[in-house]
Amino acid sequence: MHASGPAQQVLTCGAAGPEAFEHWRALISDTFVPLTAVPTTDRPFRGELRVVTHPAVQLTEVRSHGQHVRRTRQLIAGSSEDYLLSSIQLGGRGRVEQDGRTAVLTPGAMTFYDSTRPYTLHFDDAFEQLVVQLPRRPLLAAAGVPDDGVHLTAVALEAGGPGSVLAGFFSSLALVHDRDPAGALQLSAHAPALLASALRLAAGQGAGPDDAGLARERVLAHLRRHAGDPHLDADAVATACHLSRRALFRLFEGRESLASALRRTRVERAAELLVAQPRRPVASVGTACGFAGEAQFHRAFRQVTGMTPAEHRAGTHGR
């Protein structure tokens, strides 16, 4: 990680010829750790990195044509980087090889790899993934796993499990940075604990004391995906997330309640629609965001934001 405070960069590469790909190799080496790479086809190459850096974690969305990427012993010997990285596959397929294992990544799955030992990343075709990068030693210590971490690299955590939960959390964290950098900074403090939970699962140690955070993020991700459903309630959420009602409500004890989280999620989506579609009737926006009626929408919007939907829309377009 190359920045000490909240920051965002979008880095692109798109052209034909070996010089274009060499530019890409330099971009990924500077963003992650020194790497060597080769494209998988002769067609014009295109890649994009969207890097969001917080003090606690670096998040990088990668969209690219196919390539094979290697971290070699020679590159390791010439650098001092000491990171643990996690790839969360968002689109396409990939393979991660390290420590004699291969993890196959399909959308929603994730795996870890260690910058202090050789690894190879294979992407035969175009792909999209989210790479989460943290200092290695503190993360391994937080997870309570051996310092070398050799037994947990290139272990695939399949879609539908922790990989999907973390993909939702970290992708949302990157988006929140655009709208509310201070809020994203506050949320990013949870990143090490969430990744430590996933590391314990990769190491085969089962649940740890912080793993309720993974379950809670899974619930919040479900709320974000289905907030527009007016019939979404505790029973539907518990069933979809494979939890009992009691376990579901326990996740929110001492925190924002499930009902409040759903209301806030719907209001946040409505606030975006009010700005993005300024001619759309306010009542239609409320319906699209899961509110049963216009009165309920106005009441919820005022409770969350302190203003009416119309005031929010007018204030935004008046700036």
Side-chain angles (χ1 to χ4, degrees):
M1 293 183 289
H2 304 285
S4 59
Q8 177 173 291
Q9 292 178 284
V10 178
L11 309 171
T12 60
C13 174
E19 296 82 3
F21 194 81
E22 178 57 25
H23 174 57
W24 174 255
R25 189 204 64 75
L27 286 180
I28 60 176
S29 292
D30 185 59
T31 301
F32 303 114
V33 294
L35 298 163
T36 183
V38 294
T40 57
T41 69
D42 294 330
R43 66 179 180 177
F45 178 82
R46 181 162 184 82
E48 179 180 288
L49 303 174
R50 181 172 179 265
V51 187
V52 178
T53 305
H54 296 285
V57 64
Q58 176 176 295
L59 310 175
T60 305
E61 295 179 7
V62 184
R63 297 179 180 88
S64 174
H65 288 161
Q67 60 197 274
H68 295 162
V69 179
R70 297 180 63 209
R71 173 81 164 153
T72 65
R73 294 189 184 279
Q74 183 177 7
L75 290 172
I76 293 169
S79 62
S80 59
E81 284 80 4
D82 189 358
Y83 295 122
L84 199 63
L85 302 97
S86 174
S87 284
I88 301 171
Q89 199 73 5
L90 303 178
R93 294 173 62 91
R95 303 188 310 279
V96 177
E97 298 175 357
Q98 190 171 42
D99 298 324
R101 288 182 298 274
T102 300
V104 177
L105 297 181
T106 56
M110 70 173 293
T111 195
F112 292 94
Y113 43 105
D114 189 325
S115 73
T116 65
R117 297 190 301 280
Y119 62 78
T120 304
L121 312 177
H122 297 279
F123 305 102
D124 296 329
D125 300 300
F127 70 97
E128 180 178 351
Q129 68 172 201
L130 182 67
V131 180
V132 186
Q133 182 173 342
L134 290 93
R136 171 178 167 272
R137 291 183 182 276
L139 184 56
L140 292 175
V145 298
D147 184 59
D148 59 9
V150 71
H151 59 301
L152 53 81
T153 53
V155 174
L157 298 176
E158 301 296 341
S164 295
V165 178
L166 288 165
F169 173 79
F170 287 115
S171 295
S172 297
L173 180 59
L175 291 174
V176 169
H177 178 87
D178 295 339
R179 303 192 305 265
D180 182 6
L185 177 61
Q186 190 173 30
L187 288 173
S188 71
H190 299 289
L194 289 172
L195 278 183
S197 295
L199 276 173
R200 284 191 291 272
L201 294 176
Q205 294 184 1
D210 296 322
D211 292 331
L214 287 175
R216 187 167 51 252
E217 288 303 330
R218 185 173 190 173
V219 170
L220 294 175
H222 185 79
L223 296 185
R224 288 190 291 268
R225 289 194 301 270
H226 300 282
D229 179 359
H231 303 295
L232 188 65
D233 58 15
D235 288 333
V237 173
T239 299
C241 296
H242 307 291
L243 296 166
S244 67
R245 278 178 59 92
R246 182 178 179 183
L248 173 63
F249 287 116
R250 190 182 300 124
L251 293 176
F252 290 86
E253 289 179 354
R255 301 171 179 267
E256 177 185 38
S257 70
L258 176 67
S260 294
L262 177 57
R263 179 181 61 194
R264 175 180 51 76
T265 300
R266 285 172 167 164
V267 167
E268 288 174 352
R269 177 174 295 183
E272 293 175 354
L273 280 180
L274 288 166
V275 175
Q277 301 177 16
R279 297 184 180 277
R280 185 170 185 172
V282 168
S284 174
V285 171
T287 300
C289 295
F291 291 100
E294 189 170 2
Q296 184 195 56
F297 176 39
H298 276 256
R299 184 168 57 252
F301 201 94
R302 183 182 287 276
Q303 288 173 337
V304 173
T305 68
M307 63 183 72
T308 68
E311 288 170 344
H312 170 77
R313 174 179 273 171
T316 302
H317 287 283
R319 289 200 289 266

PDB file of all heavy atoms in Angstrom, residues 90-103:
ATOM      1  N   LEU A  90     -15.192 -11.208  -9.146  1.00  0.00           N
ATOM      2  CA  LEU A  90     -16.458 -10.547  -9.449  1.00  0.00           C
ATOM      3  C   LEU A  90     -17.002 -10.947 -10.802  1.00  0.00           C
ATOM      4  O   LEU A  90     -18.210 -10.914 -11.029  1.00  0.00           O
ATOM      5  CB  LEU A  90     -16.276  -9.028  -9.388  1.00  0.00           C
ATOM      6  CG  LEU A  90     -15.748  -8.464  -8.069  1.00  0.00           C
ATOM      7  CD1 LEU A  90     -15.572  -6.949  -8.174  1.00  0.00           C
ATOM      8  CD2 LEU A  90     -16.673  -8.819  -6.913  1.00  0.00           C
ATOM      9  N   GLY A  91     -16.139 -11.307 -11.736  1.00  0.00           N
ATOM     10  CA  GLY A  91     -16.561 -11.711 -13.065  1.00  0.00           C
ATOM     11  C   GLY A  91     -15.474 -12.510 -13.747  1.00  0.00           C
ATOM     12  O   GLY A  91     -14.285 -12.321 -13.487  1.00  0.00           O
ATOM     13  N   GLY A  92     -15.861 -13.427 -14.635  1.00  0.00           N
ATOM     14  CA  GLY A  92     -14.882 -14.288 -15.277  1.00  0.00           C
ATOM     15  C   GLY A  92     -14.347 -15.333 -14.313  1.00  0.00           C
ATOM     16  O   GLY A  92     -14.874 -15.528 -13.222  1.00  0.00           O
ATOM     17  N   ARG A  93     -13.284 -16.009 -14.745  1.00  0.00           N
ATOM     18  CA  ARG A  93     -12.673 -17.056 -13.928  1.00  0.00           C
ATOM     19  C   ARG A  93     -11.191 -16.777 -13.737  1.00  0.00           C
ATOM     20  O   ARG A  93     -10.555 -16.110 -14.554  1.00  0.00           O
ATOM     21  CB  ARG A  93     -12.838 -18.435 -14.593  1.00  0.00           C
ATOM     22  CG  ARG A  93     -14.272 -18.918 -14.675  1.00  0.00           C
ATOM     23  CD  ARG A  93     -14.356 -20.198 -15.486  1.00  0.00           C
ATOM     24  NE  ARG A  93     -13.605 -21.277 -14.870  1.00  0.00           N
ATOM     25  CZ  ARG A  93     -14.122 -22.136 -14.001  1.00  0.00           C
ATOM     26  NH1 ARG A  93     -15.385 -22.036 -13.627  1.00  0.00           N
ATOM     27  NH2 ARG A  93     -13.384 -23.113 -13.500  1.00  0.00           N
ATOM     28  N   GLY A  94     -10.635 -17.311 -12.663  1.00  0.00           N
ATOM     29  CA  GLY A  94      -9.213 -17.166 -12.405  1.00  0.00           C
ATOM     30  C   GLY A  94      -8.686 -18.345 -11.618  1.00  0.00           C
ATOM     31  O   GLY A  94      -9.455 -19.139 -11.061  1.00  0.00           O
ATOM     32  N   ARG A  95      -7.361 -18.472 -11.575  1.00  0.00           N
ATOM     33  CA  ARG A  95      -6.710 -19.508 -10.779  1.00  0.00           C
ATOM     34  C   ARG A  95      -5.551 -18.857 -10.031  1.00  0.00           C
ATOM     35  O   ARG A  95      -4.801 -18.055 -10.595  1.00  0.00           O
ATOM     36  CB  ARG A  95      -6.173 -20.654 -11.640  1.00  0.00           C
ATOM     37  CG  ARG A  95      -7.218 -21.317 -12.489  1.00  0.00           C
ATOM     38  CD  ARG A  95      -6.699 -22.575 -13.185  1.00  0.00           C
ATOM     39  NE  ARG A  95      -5.438 -22.407 -13.889  1.00  0.00           N
ATOM     40  CZ  ARG A  95      -5.310 -21.875 -15.100  1.00  0.00           C
ATOM     41  NH1 ARG A  95      -6.392 -21.411 -15.724  1.00  0.00           N
ATOM     42  NH2 ARG A  95      -4.135 -21.783 -15.687  1.00  0.00           N
ATOM     43  N   VAL A  96      -5.403 -19.222  -8.782  1.00  0.00           N
ATOM     44  CA  VAL A  96      -4.304 -18.737  -7.957  1.00  0.00           C
ATOM     45  C   VAL A  96      -3.486 -19.941  -7.515  1.00  0.00           C
ATOM     46  O   VAL A  96      -4.036 -20.883  -6.936  1.00  0.00           O
ATOM     47  CB  VAL A  96      -4.813 -17.963  -6.731  1.00  0.00           C
ATOM     48  CG1 VAL A  96      -3.654 -17.532  -5.847  1.00  0.00           C
ATOM     49  CG2 VAL A  96      -5.628 -16.749  -7.174  1.00  0.00           C
ATOM     50  N   GLU A  97      -2.180 -19.910  -7.759  1.00  0.00           N
ATOM     51  CA  GLU A  97      -1.295 -21.004  -7.380  1.00  0.00           C
ATOM     52  C   GLU A  97      -0.266 -20.497  -6.377  1.00  0.00           C
ATOM     53  O   GLU A  97       0.415 -19.499  -6.623  1.00  0.00           O
ATOM     54  CB  GLU A  97      -0.567 -21.564  -8.601  1.00  0.00           C
ATOM     55  CG  GLU A  97      -1.501 -22.168  -9.648  1.00  0.00           C
ATOM     56  CD  GLU A  97      -0.748 -22.608 -10.895  1.00  0.00           C
ATOM     57  OE1 GLU A  97       0.480 -22.380 -10.958  1.00  0.00           O
ATOM     58  OE2 GLU A  97      -1.384 -23.163 -11.806  1.00  0.00           O
ATOM     59  N   GLN A  98      -0.176 -21.174  -5.237  1.00  0.00           N
ATOM     60  CA  GLN A  98       0.861 -20.873  -4.252  1.00  0.00           C
ATOM     61  C   GLN A  98       0.979 -22.041  -3.283  1.00  0.00           C
ATOM     62  O   GLN A  98      -0.010 -22.712  -2.977  1.00  0.00           O
ATOM     63  CB  GLN A  98       0.551 -19.585  -3.476  1.00  0.00           C
ATOM     64  CG  GLN A  98       1.735 -19.115  -2.620  1.00  0.00           C
ATOM     65  CD  GLN A  98       1.545 -17.735  -2.021  1.00  0.00           C
ATOM     66  OE1 GLN A  98       0.469 -17.400  -1.535  1.00  0.00           O
ATOM     67  NE2 GLN A  98       2.599 -16.913  -2.051  1.00  0.00           N
ATOM     68  N   ASP A  99       2.205 -22.286  -2.825  1.00  0.00           N
ATOM     69  CA  ASP A  99       2.476 -23.313  -1.811  1.00  0.00           C
ATOM     70  C   ASP A  99       1.952 -24.692  -2.212  1.00  0.00           C
ATOM     71  O   ASP A  99       1.465 -25.465  -1.385  1.00  0.00           O
ATOM     72  CB  ASP A  99       1.882 -22.895  -0.464  1.00  0.00           C
ATOM     73  CG  ASP A  99       2.504 -21.605   0.059  1.00  0.00           C
ATOM     74  OD1 ASP A  99       3.714 -21.406  -0.156  1.00  0.00           O
ATOM     75  OD2 ASP A  99       1.776 -20.793   0.670  1.00  0.00           O
ATOM     76  N   GLY A 100       2.035 -24.998  -3.524  1.00  0.00           N
ATOM     77  CA  GLY A 100       1.650 -26.321  -3.999  1.00  0.00           C
ATOM     78  C   GLY A 100       0.157 -26.537  -4.157  1.00  0.00           C
ATOM     79  O   GLY A 100      -0.279 -27.660  -4.401  1.00  0.00           O
ATOM     80  N   ARG A 101      -0.649 -25.479  -4.025  1.00  0.00           N
ATOM     81  CA  ARG A 101      -2.096 -25.604  -4.181  1.00  0.00           C
ATOM     82  C   ARG A 101      -2.582 -24.672  -5.285  1.00  0.00           C
ATOM     83  O   ARG A 101      -1.928 -23.687  -5.619  1.00  0.00           O
ATOM     84  CB  ARG A 101      -2.813 -25.256  -2.874  1.00  0.00           C
ATOM     85  CG  ARG A 101      -2.666 -26.284  -1.776  1.00  0.00           C
ATOM     86  CD  ARG A 101      -3.447 -25.873  -0.538  1.00  0.00           C
ATOM     87  NE  ARG A 101      -2.948 -24.630   0.018  1.00  0.00           N
ATOM     88  CZ  ARG A 101      -1.918 -24.567   0.879  1.00  0.00           C
ATOM     89  NH1 ARG A 101      -1.314 -25.678   1.273  1.00  0.00           N
ATOM     90  NH2 ARG A 101      -1.506 -23.407   1.342  1.00  0.00           N
ATOM     91  N   THR A 102      -3.754 -24.991  -5.832  1.00  0.00           N
ATOM     92  CA  THR A 102      -4.405 -24.150  -6.831  1.00  0.00           C
ATOM     93  C   THR A 102      -5.834 -23.881  -6.395  1.00  0.00           C
ATOM     94  O   THR A 102      -6.596 -24.811  -6.121  1.00  0.00           O
ATOM     95  CB  THR A 102      -4.420 -24.821  -8.213  1.00  0.00           C
ATOM     96  OG1 THR A 102      -3.080 -25.062  -8.644  1.00  0.00           O
ATOM     97  CG2 THR A 102      -5.124 -23.936  -9.241  1.00  0.00           C
ATOM     98  N   ALA A 103      -6.203 -22.610  -6.314  1.00  0.00           N
ATOM     99  CA  ALA A 103      -7.577 -22.216  -6.010  1.00  0.00           C
ATOM    100  C   ALA A 103      -8.223 -21.718  -7.287  1.00  0.00           C
ATOM    101  O   ALA A 103      -7.705 -20.817  -7.951  1.00  0.00           O
ATOM    102  CB  ALA A 103      -7.597 -21.119  -4.946  1.00  0.00           C
TER     103      ALA A 103
END
